[in-house]
Amino acid sequence: MKTPIQIRLNGEDVAAFADGGANLLDVLRESIGDLSVKGGCWQGTCGTCTVLIDGAPRLSCVTLAESCAGKSIETVAGLRRGPDLHPLQNAFMERFAAQCGYCTPGMLMAAKALLDRNPNPTRENVVEAIAGNICRCTGYEPIIEAVLDAARGDSRRRA
Amino acid sequence: MLELRKDIFADERDDNLKEVGQPTQRQDILGHVTGTSAFYDDHRFSNLLHLKILRSPHAHARIRSIDDAAAVRAPGVKRVIRAADVPVNLNTLLSLIQFGKDDEPSLATDVVRYRGEPILGIVATSERAAREALALVRVSYDPLPAVFDVEEALKPGAPSVNPTYPKNTFEYHGKYDHQKLRFGDVEAAFTQADVVLEDRYQMSPIEHAPTETNGSIAVPDTNGRFVVYTSTQGLFFSLDTAAKINAMPSNQLHFIGGTVGGGFGGKVDTLTEPLAILAARLTGAPVRYRLSRHEEMQFGSPRGAERIYVKDGVMKDGRIIARKVRAYFDSGAYTRLSSYAVVKCVAHIPGPYTIPNVYADVFCVFTNRTPATAMRGFGVTALDFALECQMDKLAVAIGMDPLEFRMLNAYRDGDMKAHRREAKNCALIECAQVAAEKANWPLRDEFRRMSSRTGGAKAHADAGAVRTVAPTPTAAAARTAAPQRVPYDRSSATAPAHTAQPPTPPRSPPPPPAPPPAGSTHGAPRFSSVFGTRRR
Amino acid sequence: MTITVKTFARLADAAAALASERGARFMAGGTLVMRAVNEADPAIETIVRSTDPSFLNVAVSSGRVELGGGVTMAAILAERELAFLHPVARVVGSPALREAATVGGNLFATRGDFATALLALDATVMLAGGFGQRELQLDEFISRREHGASLVLAVAFKRPPAEALRFAKVTRVHPKGMSVLSIAAQLPLASGRVTGARIAYAGMAPTPLRAKAAERALEGRALDAAGIAPALAVAADGTSPADDAIASAWWRREILPIHLRRLLLGANYA
């Protein structure tokens, strides 16, 4: 018996049928087809699967999908407005804040959660905001700089 | 901020480069920040099946029996894959370049040799169904004595890990149980040295822990081929390995990858593709074989642990005159790429330093651990850790600045390396000078004036100076190299000797310089550590 | 096997289902249960949850605090009246984890930082199960390891005097890391002397526990170097730390008195 789930994903109403006990990450990727969300551990420890649920950062791999019924979910696929990228996306590109790119969707959502609540974060705020997101490539510094740039509205190309 | 020191080696540089040296955006970063870069799992199929593997809980055990009857009948199970189903169930990765003997099964047959070794596969309609079916498989084991330490593994009577290599070492060229490097006479040099320093270095295995675990999806294609989406770092390498194990012509496989969610060397072992393809052949459906995070830690190959003994002889004036290395690579239960790692390690000894007497023995050892693989600086990084720790200790022992100590001993153009090749395009000195400048690390004038292009053997030969390259080692008379460069005058320095040294015996006159190495001739036999002697 | 999810508007009904359904496990935020479900833990066949608003209730009166079992770490951080708990809630996991990690769930975590603070606050836990409802001292609940069979409705404790609650989390990775060990201490003072100290550890035993020997040794003492010395001497009494991937038992025993000393002489840190 599959469970019907209806959510608001990146501003659009979408629905899917999910197995009982399915987690949100699997429903987003497998049933709804939003492949912008990635899975790293399926244990709730690496942060790769971070999405926003009603504005709050959440680990989709340990979130029961049906508990999200009627809620508003944001993923990386919904960050850009048509052709225009979100300031975070521009800042990440300019600061070389991604190498393999696998942690990037989760990082962007964790950063967005921060900036939506605190538009003027300190460096310490940024470090804490991404504390739950593991990156194995960049060493984190470019990511922190990118988030601070985006907060400052500063996404000019750097030499 | 990227700074290019074009003033260094300026006369060798043809500076008409437009892209090199300019920062540029990665061509894939737009895909990364929009979540559209396609990793192997970013493809959907309506009838996707899931392959999960039963793994050995023992480091070493005989498999007495496997009862999978309940698993076969379990809900959602489409196929159980057993060892007998694997067309070519013994392989070694470097068989693709005829290096090494096939030693590793894709699914264990009678013996398991490391914890996590694959024994059996279940293909089911969901991951959950596959996991639940795995729990129904009954395997009975007879545990066997296991060995986890590289030196223990080489002692007589140690448990034999890998039947292809019963003495627990890889065999080079069919008969040598280790790789050797010989240059000069280290034992004689140790008697001459002012200080002899010996130490042991141990690395742990290191898990790459990429955020994306190893995995692949094999999809039957319309024309009887298979499309394989994979996380591999080496598409063609993995394709050929999978073709061999599946006894398929390689033109029946189409590997698609390229976006790897973190590799660092941990996605070169072709861990998932062969069985994913087999599962797709046996079921006629697309099959995903994805490692869980736990499997990535336990079964995913780590950087191999290494144990390295280094014994150095150094003069009070700063010259290292002897370096002796004995190292053991822990390959785990099977060869994979460790045989090659050892070759690379030996090729790097004694580090980027001109040392006239070098001796190395490096072993590729089998233990009952997870088979090891490459990781960033494969074969070299751990050795460098050991060597550079030694360099610091030696500098302290003779009371010399550690940076100046390295510069003094660095290769210069024309120096003869222990591998009997001339050092070329050396730049360690210049790098050290710039690093010192950036770090405000004081260097004496003489060191700020040093150059990789002067003071080497070639420069001395050109200037008519006599330069010794010691021939093959014999006993007796000290044959340390004549001073190769301006000696560092530290006659006032008192350095603590680590071992009591006998008085220096009188030196015999240096033998005439060795002829320069012959240039490569097409068709001439050449010896390669990997391929042995063969004609080009 | 398919998992069944049963959601109840009233906690009492959820508790009843927990007692009667096969392989039932109560899920609050999901950080523990969903991980087990992802790994196809055969013990879980039914997920029981509740949308009862009382589960998320935070009630702070003069003198008493009651937190519903479903109150998240993030909710605690948003509550000014609970500022004395912020140093604890802030170091539980990551921002995303704190949106899901609950007061009730933390009682089932082997190294529950929040549970450790609740022990130091002498908390009681309101349980519901096949037996109906009852209230239990938290340390009794934890030591009895009544996992799975009962639902944590709420925890309650006397509001501590200002500055009385101290908390230290010892990790190797900052800001987010698994604790090597954590220490919570409530140190009420009367005329500069400790009366009725409560000290609790996480990471020094299979569950969080009270450091009763250290508590007794602090009774009537001043919080200075000489005063706390007897407590430090018995800091590890009654503990049974394990070797695990985070640290060895030996290391934990070595550093425990050092961190206890810092906490008793100073203030919170993490």
Side-chain angles (χ1 to χ4, degrees), chain B residues 191-237:
Chain B
T191 65
Q192 296 253 303
D194 292 328
V195 176
V196 175
L197 197 151
E198 184 168 10
D199 221 326
R200 174 189 128 136
Y201 298 88
Q202 176 72 56
M203 300 288 290
S204 291
I206 299 177
E207 167 52 45
H208 311 72
T211 42
E212 177 205 44
T213 61
N214 271 268
S216 55
I217 303 178
V219 187
D221 202 359
T222 54
N223 53 4
R225 299 169 77 206
F226 292 83
V227 176
V228 183
Y229 301 97
T230 159
S231 66
T232 186
Q233 292 175 242
L235 280 173
F236 287 101
F237 188 79

Side-chain angles (χ1 to χ4, degrees), chain B residues 8 10 89 106 116 161 167-168 274 290 307 315 421 429 478 530:
Chain B
I8 302 175
N89 197 23
S106 296
V161 173
K167 295 211 181 109
N168 294 338
R290 174 172 80 184
R307 179 170 304 156
M315 306 303 287
R421 285 181 170 75
I429 289 169
V530 171

Side-chain angles (χ1 to χ4, degrees), chain B residues 75 127-129 131-132 294, chain C residues 1 3 37-41:
Chain B
E127 269 217 17
R128 187 179 183 93
R131 283 177 185 261
E132 290 177 352
H294 186 262
Chain C
M1 180 223 345
I3 302 253
V37 167
N38 290 345
E39 290 166 5
D41 184 342

Side-chain angles (χ1 to χ4, degrees), chain C residues 69-87:
Chain C
V71 172
T72 63
M73 297 298 120
I76 289 174
L77 288 168
E79 195 67 50
R80 261 208 297 241
E81 297 280 328
L82 297 177
F84 63 93
L85 282 173
H86 289 184

Side-chain angles (χ1 to χ4, degrees), chain B residues 114-229:
Chain B
Y114 66 96
R115 189 160 156 194
E117 180 161 15
I119 296 170
L120 183 134
I122 307 263
V123 191
T125 50
S126 71
E127 269 217 17
R128 187 179 183 93
R131 283 177 185 261
E132 290 177 352
L134 278 181
L136 298 173
V137 180
R138 299 270 160 272
V139 184
S140 61
Y141 303 94
D142 292 325
L144 296 168
V147 61
F148 301 109
D149 181 279
V150 285
E151 287 184 277
E152 290 299 316
L154 295 183
K155 290 188 178 156
S160 179
V161 173
N162 183 332
T164 308
Y165 300 101
K167 295 211 181 109
N168 294 338
T169 55
F170 181 82
E171 267 164 39
Y172 290 92
H173 314 298
K175 50 180 172 168
Y176 305 113
D177 68 356
H178 64 285
Q179 287 267 307
K180 278 175 159 41
L181 180 62
R182 302 284 186 266
F183 188 66
D185 184 344
V186 288
E187 297 306 331
F190 284 137
T191 65
Q192 296 253 303
D194 292 328
V195 176
V196 175
L197 197 151
E198 184 168 10
D199 221 326
R200 174 189 128 136
Y201 298 88
Q202 176 72 56
M203 300 288 290
S204 291
I206 299 177
E207 167 52 45
H208 311 72
T211 42
E212 177 205 44
T213 61
N214 271 268
S216 55
I217 303 178
V219 187
D221 202 359
T222 54
N223 53 4
R225 299 169 77 206
F226 292 83
V227 176
V228 183
Y229 301 97

Side-chain angles (χ1 to χ4, degrees), chain C residues 3-268:
Chain C
I3 302 253
T4 309
V5 178
K6 297 205 167 173
T7 305
F8 297 93
R10 290 177 348 116
L11 277 170
D13 296 331
L18 198 60
S20 62
E21 296 284 342
R22 253 167 57 112
R25 185 74 60 89
F26 186 80
M27 191 191 88
T31 58
L32 298 173
V33 172
M34 287 307 293
R35 174 177 174 160
V37 167
N38 290 345
E39 290 166 5
D41 184 342
I44 304 177
E45 298 183 38
T46 308
I47 296 174
V48 175
R49 45 192 292 270
S50 177
T51 51
D52 192 328
S54 72
F55 202 45
L56 305 177
N57 210 31
V58 173
V60 184
S61 67
S62 64
R64 188 179 140 95
V65 176
E66 189 173 305
L67 303 174
V71 172
T72 63
M73 297 298 120
I76 289 174
L77 288 168
E79 195 67 50
R80 261 208 297 241
E81 297 280 328
L82 297 177
F84 63 93
L85 282 173
H86 289 184
V88 187
R90 182 173 296 125
V91 296
V92 173
S94 63
L97 203 84
R98 291 194 277 279
E99 296 283 350
T102 60
V103 168
N106 204 263
L107 302 186
F108 295 89
T110 38
R111 267 182 290 256
D113 294 317
F114 201 80
T116 306
L118 289 174
L119 277 178
L121 289 166
D122 242 343
T124 57
V125 51
M126 252 76 69
L127 298 171
F131 45 81
Q133 281 193 28
R134 63 183 159 140
E135 191 167 349
L136 211 57
Q137 280 299 120
L138 182 59
D139 57 355
E140 204 189 324
F141 170 75
I142 287 176
S143 62
R144 276 207 220 166
R145 293 169 147 270
E146 291 193 23
H147 290 188
S150 42
L151 196 163
V152 174
L153 295 173
V155 299
F157 50 89
K158 245 177 56 172
R159 194 185 177 134
E163 315 288 315
L165 183 68
R166 300 185 188 179
F167 185 77
K169 176 164 174 162
V170 182
T171 69
R172 289 159 54 208
V173 179
H174 296 268
K176 171 197 177 249
M178 297 201 63
S179 9
V180 175
L181 60 92
S182 305
I183 310 174
Q186 195 187 167
L187 307 167
L189 294 170
S191 315
R193 301 272 158 172
V194 175
T195 60
R198 295 283 180 266
I199 301 177
Y201 305 144
M204 293 302 295
T207 63
L209 83 171
R210 289 260 302 275
K212 296 195 171 164
E215 289 171 356
R216 285 192 294 270
L218 264 187
E219 189 65 23
R221 315 283 300 187
L223 282 179
D224 56 30
I228 67 172
L232 295 183
V234 297
D237 279 16
T239 65
S240 53
D243 290 330
D244 62 24
I246 307 295
S248 67
W250 172 85
W251 176 250
R252 290 180 157 110
R253 262 188 241 104
E254 286 292 302
I255 67 170
L256 174 68
I258 297 169
H259 290 287
L260 182 61
R261 179 177 187 277
R262 287 183 193 166
L263 193 66
L264 294 178
L265 291 183
N268 305 321

